[in-house]
Amino acid sequence: MSDLKLPAQTQVVIIGGGVIGCSVAYHLTKLGWTDVVLLERKELTCGTTWHAAGLVGQLRATRNMTMLAQYTSELFAGLEAETGQATGFKQHGSVSVAPDPERFEELKRGASMAKCFGLEVEVITASEALNLHPYLNIDDLCGAVFLPKDGQTNPIDTTRALAQGARNRGAQIFENIRVQGVLKENGKVNGVVTDQGEIKAEFVVNCAGLWGRQVGKMAGVNVPLHASEHFYIVTEEMGIPPTLPGLRDPSGWCYIKEDAGKLLVGCFEPKAKPRSLDSIPEDFSFGQFPEDWDHFEPAMMNAIHRVPKLEEPGIQLFFNGPESFTPDDRYILGEAPELRNFYVAAGFNSIGIQSSGGAGKVLAEWIVNGHPPMDLSDVDIRRFHPFQVNERYLYERTGEALGLLYAMHWPFFQPETSRGIRRSVFHDRLKDAGACFGEMAGWERANWFAPEGMEPRYEYTYRRQNWFEASASEHLAVRENVGFFDMSSFGKFLVQGRDAEKVMNRICANQVAVEPGKVVYTAWLNERGGFETDLTVTRLSEWEYLVITAGASQMRDLAWLKRHTAEEDGVQVADVTSAYAVLSIMGPNSRKLLSKLTDEDLSNDHFPFGTGKEIEIGYSKALALRVTYVGELGWELYIPSEFAQDLYDRLLEAGKEMGLKHAGMHALNSLRLEKAYRHWGHDITDEDTPLEAGLSFAVAWDKSGGFLGREALIRKKENGLLKKRMVQFALENPEPLLYHNEPIWCGNTIVGDTTSGMYGHSIGSCLGMGYIENPEGVNKEWIESQKFEIEVAGERYPAKASLKAFYDPGNARIRM
């Protein structure tokens, strides 16, 4: 806007004028923050927004992501009436088709999940799909799913409407202004440097799209995203009615929608074309790349197979333009761990239009309130590790990531690109033992071990996968004898200093002012009383603690720890993850095995549960923690990395005559589910409190000085009635498998959904955990008086419910 003068100071600067940046501005002003400046390097929508296909789907892979997409649809439905700016939004539904039983199961599982929050969805036959979309070829279809409220919109007009709504409430939008730097002071953002001067600001939001990684670098913030070419064609006029529902044929890699009487055909092909930002001109605006018919042709042939009428018209437009992708196909949202008040909303993986309303809303609430309004761990920027901003890593992963949008979303699926980056010192030995590795935050972890004669690779299905029996044998070895896990991917933080006890006791909900050598399981809570994480804290000495957390949440937890450690606290925090390898020795014979290698007295009297000691073992020393995540007698050994291989070899040799067995992450998961041990990010999130999660034992309610989140917990505790509780379920039918987000039925009412699931080999049935809600309260008596069912792909299965674990509820085995 040429008549506006660039201010010297503002409350919020938003970098990027695409649909995401305009949505953030719109929602900030809706919350009453009117001192907002949005800066666009060229013109609004000129990067990737302008060429988006404009699909507005609602069903996503998880509950909360679906809820955000739902909100976007609701927002768009009223945006034109609010702002006076046409959007082109219409809701004529979408049809997703399945040419094989496995794809149909995927669609049906998604449809079941959608019921948990009232999303309109119908599982339909191929003939019913043809009635909705008369151009379909249904000869090879098993079925389909119809979402009546899905729609499409005009991306440019919708962005302009969001911008107009923001302007109407006071936001200022400037085009043709380039951000050249980010100002920082005392660990906080302080504004931006533009080609027209500095703007001081309390908050800066990186919505720079393709350029989000570069803007992040200006601020010293890691934003792992990378551009890829994305293709679609638009036919000549075909007389297509405007009411035709959108069509998705993910097995054919393509989507097809009506476009002003024509058809638009786009694709998410399995092998994409990553595009280095260096190959995109600096002044790129409303630009596109050269045509590549050879690359697009296979997807086009799939589209013609699905809609034969596509053979008739000519092609009016072949489009090839950039989209930005992240390593895990989930977008990036939230406050950067490296810099206070610097927020990111970028990397939307070709779903920016349908995500824009929800993402803008929750990020605005996050900025205004200082915390996210719901569990956003799926997309939280803190899930990424610094190495993931590496351009070569991103280039290789992006070649796969685009196609994964329409690939089968198999349980336990593992990416194939950018692998082998982080390996424990045991990696080659585990490989020789038959390990099939999975990837987690770059770590190569042994998920299961192939027996002799079996190839260690996945054969995916929604039912029992090829590793089921192999993992069962690992599970039972831990239950009945002894097994060991490589847990080197644990995050490990050393907290040292004169105020270590004071700081740790303030952050931890449990009492950690304990004697050296004591291991404490604890929660870290936010001010609402919800879990930011759960972990163990071992007091090593008067001034020293060791914090052990999950590898997936390493960066998030490190950021939380540092954010709640003030400069005046006299405490230093060091990430020592790479310094120690970890072997977890678990099972009723673990004491017998370890006693072969150490003279340490491992008896209950001298080494009780919850104890940590440095012991001599083999030719080295290790910190031995008597803890468990599988519900059996066992120890975790923290070994300096340079000594770890020798100790591994000695353990393996000592365990030969005892039948020591390698065990992987899948066995760990099935073992922990039998014990109803919670997993952060699935079973407990920042929305859940220890009271609801059944983890009140990890809270020291009355410890001196209190703890972060105590006041909120006390209020909830004093209220007495808990309307929501974590419950464990066991299916009465041993065949179906649970994963997550399956609806939980009580009579004819959905009362919750599962948070995690796995087959319990010691129980003989599939187990799941999930929160159930009841306005009159959830307690043992009410649960035992009800009958529950869990829905899997549209079918309900009776399930036993319990507030306690089905395996060893009295915890006798861990204290053997």
Side-chain angles (χ1 to χ4, degrees):
M1 298 288 290
S2 58
D3 58 331
L4 290 178
K5 182 180 179 182
L6 196 68
Q9 188 163 348
T10 187
Q11 188 174 18
V12 184
V13 167
I14 299 169
I15 305 171
V19 69
I20 303 300
C22 290
S23 179
V24 173
Y26 172 91
H27 286 94
L28 280 171
T29 59
K30 202 167 186 179
L31 291 171
W33 282 27
T34 58
D35 191 11
V36 175
V37 169
L38 185 147
L39 305 177
E40 166 53 45
R41 57 188 286 277
K42 291 293 185 179
E43 299 177 41
L44 295 185
T45 78
C46 72
T48 59
T49 295
W50 73 275
H51 63 69
L55 297 174
V56 186
Q58 298 177 82
L59 187 57
R60 306 302 308 154
T62 63
R63 175 190 179 97
N64 283 355
M65 293 303 99
T66 300
M67 291 172 68
L68 294 187
Q70 268 186 289
Y71 169 79
T72 298
S73 185
E74 295 165 1
L75 171 68
F76 287 178
L79 197 55
E80 181 174 340
E82 176 195 342
T83 65
Q85 165 68 50
T87 63
F89 180 67
K90 57 183 182 179
Q91 291 176 290
H92 296 302
S94 73
V95 176
S96 296
V97 299
D100 59 73
E102 291 278 25
R103 179 68 77 173
F104 197 26
E105 173 145 358
E106 178 186 61
L107 293 179
K108 288 189 290 185
R109 283 179 175 265
S112 289
M113 178 186 71
K115 296 177 184 178
C116 297
F117 30 91
L119 181 61
E120 290 185 49
V121 59
E122 302 171 22
V123 177
I124 59 177
T125 65
S127 296
E128 290 170 325
L130 181 61
N131 290 335
L132 292 165
H133 198 296
Y135 307 111
L136 267 179
N137 169 20
I138 65 170
D139 291 347
D140 59 347
L141 294 184
C142 294
V145 162
F146 176 54
L147 288 108
K149 293 294 181 67
D150 274 6
Q152 61 187 69
T153 197
N154 182 302
I156 293 177
D157 289 344
T158 301
T159 303
R160 286 173 175 163
L162 291 166
Q164 188 60 50
R167 284 193 189 101
N168 290 346
R169 290 186 287 267
Q172 298 182 77
I173 296 177
F174 296 86
E175 297 177 297
N176 297 301
I177 294 183
R178 186 182 303 275
V179 173
Q180 298 176 322
V182 175
L183 301 172
K184 299 179 281 185
E185 186 176 342
N186 298 325
K188 285 187 178 182
V189 74
N190 194 36
V192 298
V193 179
T194 79
D195 56 1
Q196 298 182 31
E198 290 186 359
I199 307 177
K200 293 295 182 69
E202 186 179 351
F203 298 88
V204 173
V205 190
N206 177 1
C207 300
L210 290 176
W211 298 272
R213 179 170 173 266
Q214 280 62 33
V215 170
K217 281 186 173 182
M218 294 177 189
V221 169
N222 291 310
V223 183
L225 57 81
H226 196 283
S228 177
E229 299 183 19
H230 180 53
F231 302 87
Y232 62 73
I233 62 98
V234 180
T235 69
E236 294 176 342
E237 170 64 42
M238 296 175 64
I240 303 297
T243 56
L244 186 74
L247 173 65
R248 293 180 179 86
D249 182 3
S251 296
W253 322 336
C254 61
Y255 60 87
I256 303 171
K257 71 156 195 167
E258 182 273 337
D259 187 286
K262 298 160 281 191
L263 286 178
L264 181 152
V265 180
C267 70
F268 293 108
E269 67 278 16
K271 179 61 177 174
K273 293 183 69 178
R275 186 90 180 200
S276 170
L277 199 60
D278 294 339
S279 69
I280 300 175
E282 181 67 21
D283 61 351
F284 189 84
S285 175
F286 297 108
Q288 51 187 298
F289 304 140
E291 297 178 359
D292 189 341
W293 277 103
D294 290 341
H295 187 85
F296 185 72
E297 184 180 18
M300 187 64 193
M301 296 306 296
N302 291 340
I304 290 172
H305 169 74
R306 187 57 59 214
V307 178
K309 191 174 178 64
L310 282 166
E311 283 190 297
E312 301 173 7
I315 304 300
Q316 183 186 83
L317 170 68
F318 185 107
F319 181 82
N320 176 14
E323 298 279 357
S324 59
F325 288 81
T326 64
D328 58 6
D329 265 349
R330 304 197 303 268
Y331 53 85
I332 304 171
L333 210 65
E335 186 182 18
E338 302 95 335
L339 184 62
R340 295 301 302 265
N341 291 357
F342 185 88
Y343 286 79
V344 180
F348 277 81
N349 305 282
S350 281
I351 60 166
I353 301 299
Q354 63 184 279
S355 304
S356 59
K361 177 179 185 292
V362 295
L363 189 65
E365 292 173 353
W366 195 335
I367 294 168
V368 170
N369 299 320
H371 60 79
M374 60 193 296
D375 171 32
L376 295 172
S377 55
D378 280 348
V379 293
D380 194 319
I381 188 172
R382 292 173 293 174
R383 72 188 185 275
F384 288 119
H385 290 240
F387 81 90
Q388 290 176 292
V389 80
N390 177 278
E391 188 166 0
R392 181 176 296 181
Y393 166 87
L394 289 168
Y395 183 91
E396 292 178 5
R397 178 59 62 86
T398 299
E400 178 184 17
L402 179 144
L404 294 180
L405 287 172
Y406 273 15
M408 286 291 296
H409 296 88
W410 297 114
F412 312 107
F413 174 81
Q414 302 299 324
E416 297 178 357
T417 54
S418 299
R419 293 292 300 270
I421 296 168
R422 303 175 79 183
R423 302 178 183 182
S424 83
V425 295
F426 307 123
H427 181 273
D428 290 348
R429 285 164 167 77
L430 299 179
K431 183 179 180 181
D432 291 342
C436 183
F437 293 97
E439 186 256 3
M440 185 281 303
W443 282 102
E444 294 294 323
R445 303 194 304 177
N447 279 351
W448 55 279
F449 289 84
E452 189 173 349
M454 180 181 182
E455 187 178 353
R457 66 177 180 85
Y458 280 91
E459 295 176 6
Y460 295 115
T461 173
Y462 272 95
R463 292 168 175 77
R464 286 161 172 73
Q465 296 187 5
N466 62 317
W467 49 264
F468 184 85
E469 293 300 333
S471 187
S473 69
E474 299 166 23
H475 176 116
L476 295 173
V478 173
R479 286 279 180 254
E480 299 166 4
N481 184 23
V482 61
F484 70 136
F485 305 83
D486 174 14
M487 301 304 297
S488 301
S489 61
F490 277 157
K492 314 166 192 82
F493 314 137
L494 202 57
V495 182
Q496 299 172 305
R498 66 176 187 274
D499 294 329
E501 178 184 295
K502 181 184 74 172
V503 170
M504 291 302 296
N505 231 16
R506 182 176 68 223
I507 297 172
C508 297
N510 212 344
Q511 177 63 265
V512 295
V514 293
E515 293 296 317
K518 182 68 176 174
V519 184
V520 180
Y521 170 72
T522 185
W524 288 358
L525 304 178
N526 53 46
E527 292 178 351
R528 287 101 54 215
F531 282 91
E532 288 296 327
T533 190
D534 72 322
L535 39 71
T536 62
V537 172
T538 301
R539 188 160 201 175
L540 302 177
S541 68
E542 182 182 358
W543 287 3
E544 190 174 33
Y545 288 86
L546 180 65
V547 176
I548 305 297
T549 190
S553 56
Q554 175 186 342
M555 302 313 297
R556 177 192 177 99
D557 295 348
L558 183 61
W560 186 264
L561 179 57
K562 288 183 175 180
R563 288 280 173 92
H564 292 86
T565 304
E567 288 186 17
E568 61 270 18
D569 278 332
V571 166
Q572 292 183 328
V573 176
D575 185 343
V576 295
T577 298
S578 299
Y580 296 94
V582 184
L583 287 175
S584 178
I585 319 297
M586 295 288 153
N589 284 327
S590 57
R591 180 183 286 119
K592 181 179 178 183
L593 170 62
L594 290 174
S595 293
K596 291 185 173 186
L597 297 173
T598 182
D599 293 330
E600 184 74 32
D601 187 343
L602 303 179
S603 67
N604 272 324
D605 288 342
H606 291 86
F607 210 136
F609 182 76
T611 298
K613 294 182 181 181
E614 187 176 69
I615 65 172
E616 288 188 358
I617 183 165
Y619 285 167
S620 63
K621 288 186 176 183
L623 176 65
L625 306 184
R626 189 173 167 192
V627 292
T628 182
Y629 194 50
V630 301
E632 299 292 341
L633 173 70
W635 282 261
E636 291 173 358
L637 302 180
Y638 291 78
I639 315 142
S641 294
E642 66 269 31
F643 296 103
Q645 290 180 347
D646 177 70
L647 181 54
Y648 170 97
D649 294 340
R650 293 178 185 280
L651 277 167
L652 203 61
E653 181 64 28
K656 277 183 180 179
E657 64 185 36
M658 296 178 58
L660 173 65
K661 196 171 185 67
H662 288 87
M665 295 299 108
H666 292 337
L668 186 79
N669 197 30
S670 58
L671 288 158
R672 71 98 183 170
L673 266 158
E674 288 188 338
K675 283 293 295 175
Y677 289 156
R678 280 58 162 163
H679 184 273
W680 191 89
H682 292 92
D683 310 308
I684 48 177
T685 72
D686 58 9
E687 295 184 64
D688 309 310
T689 71
L691 292 162
E692 297 157 334
L695 297 176
S696 294
F697 68 88
V699 176
W701 296 91
D702 299 319
K703 68 177 177 178
S704 177
F707 54 88
L708 186 61
R710 180 180 182 273
E711 290 73 17
L713 273 192
I714 291 292
R715 288 193 297 271
K716 185 174 281 288
K717 185 179 182 183
E718 289 175 346
N719 188 44
L721 183 69
L722 283 177
K723 300 179 181 180
K724 166 185 160 184
R725 292 286 297 276
M726 170 61 77
V727 177
Q728 188 176 36
F729 295 92
L731 295 183
E732 295 181 8
N733 184 329
E735 288 305 309
L737 296 180
L738 304 176
Y739 298 112
H740 57 80
N741 293 130
E742 292 92 0
I744 301 168
W745 291 83
C746 181
N748 292 319
T749 303
I750 294 177
V751 294
D753 60 319
T754 60
T755 52
S756 58
M758 197 78 170
Y759 193 88
H761 300 285
S762 306
I763 303 298
S765 186
C766 198
L767 305 176
M769 291 197 291
Y771 291 96
I772 59 176
E773 297 186 39
N774 177 37
E776 306 303 317
V778 181
N779 55 32
K780 182 175 181 290
E781 293 71 30
W782 181 80
I783 290 172
E784 292 177 349
S785 69
Q786 306 299 314
K787 292 185 177 180
F788 295 94
E789 296 174 305
I790 298 180
E791 181 177 331
V792 179
E795 294 187 39
R796 297 191 207 174
Y797 296 92
K800 298 175 184 176
S802 173
L803 288 173
K804 293 184 177 181
F806 288 108
Y807 180 83
D808 187 28
N811 292 321
R813 296 183 65 85
I814 67 175
R815 294 183 170 85
M816 290 174 62

